[in-house]
């Protein structure tokens, strides 16, 4: 999803699922495919490398998931690391991947 109206219509709904660092908003759409929006605020991931890693992992897992026709927005809701710490580590990537997989799998199971 790219347009502000698309994001706004999904954000009006309550969060569907939460993990330690992420919130998922979802609603069904009338298209033949699922759409994804990602919000990674600078205040929760101050380094661009970290924000880009979050987006990259989210997109990869979204493509692999067999989701129904929904619009979903993944929003970072808590800080994942600080400016003082390393931008990405294998441990951080594994944590992000596990949480994001849990989010997307919740929609695979819930909508079938």
């Amino acid at each position: 999803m790219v347009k502000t109206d698309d994001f706004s219509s999904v954000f009006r709904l309550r969060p569907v699922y939460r993990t330690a660092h992420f919130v998922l908003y979802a609603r069904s759409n009338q298209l033949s495919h699922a759409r994804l929006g990602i919000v990674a605020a600078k205040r929760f991931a101050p380094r661009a490398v970290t924000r880009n890693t979050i987006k990259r992992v989210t997109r990869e897992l979204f493509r692999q998931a067999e989701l129904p026709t929904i619009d979903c927005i993944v929003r970072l809701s808590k800080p994942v690391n600080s400016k003082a710490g390393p931008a990405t580590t294998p441990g951080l990537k594994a944590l992000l991947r596990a949480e994001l997989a849990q989010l997307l799998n919740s929609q695979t199971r819930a909508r079938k």
Side-chain angles (χ1 to χ4, degrees):
M1 291 188 302
V2 181
K3 296 183 181 180
T4 304
D5 290 341
D6 293 338
F7 274 84
S8 297
S9 64
V10 179
F11 272 135
R12 270 186 247 138
L13 304 173
R14 283 199 173 141
V16 176
Y17 199 81
R18 292 178 188 270
T19 62
H21 295 98
F22 297 97
V23 177
L24 176 72
Y25 298 85
R27 75 174 185 128
S28 59
N29 68 28
Q30 304 302 319
L31 303 172
S32 61
H33 58 280
R35 296 189 302 175
L36 174 68
I38 305 168
V39 179
K42 195 183 275 190
R43 67 183 174 142
F44 294 132
R47 302 182 80 185
V49 175
T50 307
R51 292 191 304 277
N52 290 335
T53 299
I54 290 168
K55 293 174 192 175
R56 192 176 315 111
V57 170
T58 305
R59 285 189 202 106
E60 177 187 339
L61 292 172
F62 180 79
R63 281 195 229 33
Q64 293 172 356
E66 295 180 12
L67 294 171
T69 58
I70 58 172
D71 290 341
C72 53
I73 296 176
V74 174
R75 182 175 63 89
L76 183 62
S77 63
K78 293 199 176 123
V80 290
N81 67 357
S82 65
K83 266 189 176 174
T88 57
T89 60
L92 177 63
K93 285 183 182 180
L95 173 72
L96 295 173
R97 182 176 292 280
E99 283 191 38
L100 291 165
Q102 186 180 5
L103 279 178
L104 294 174
N105 286 337
S106 73
Q107 291 307 295
T108 304
R109 285 180 269 133
R111 305 275 176 161
K112 281 188 177 180

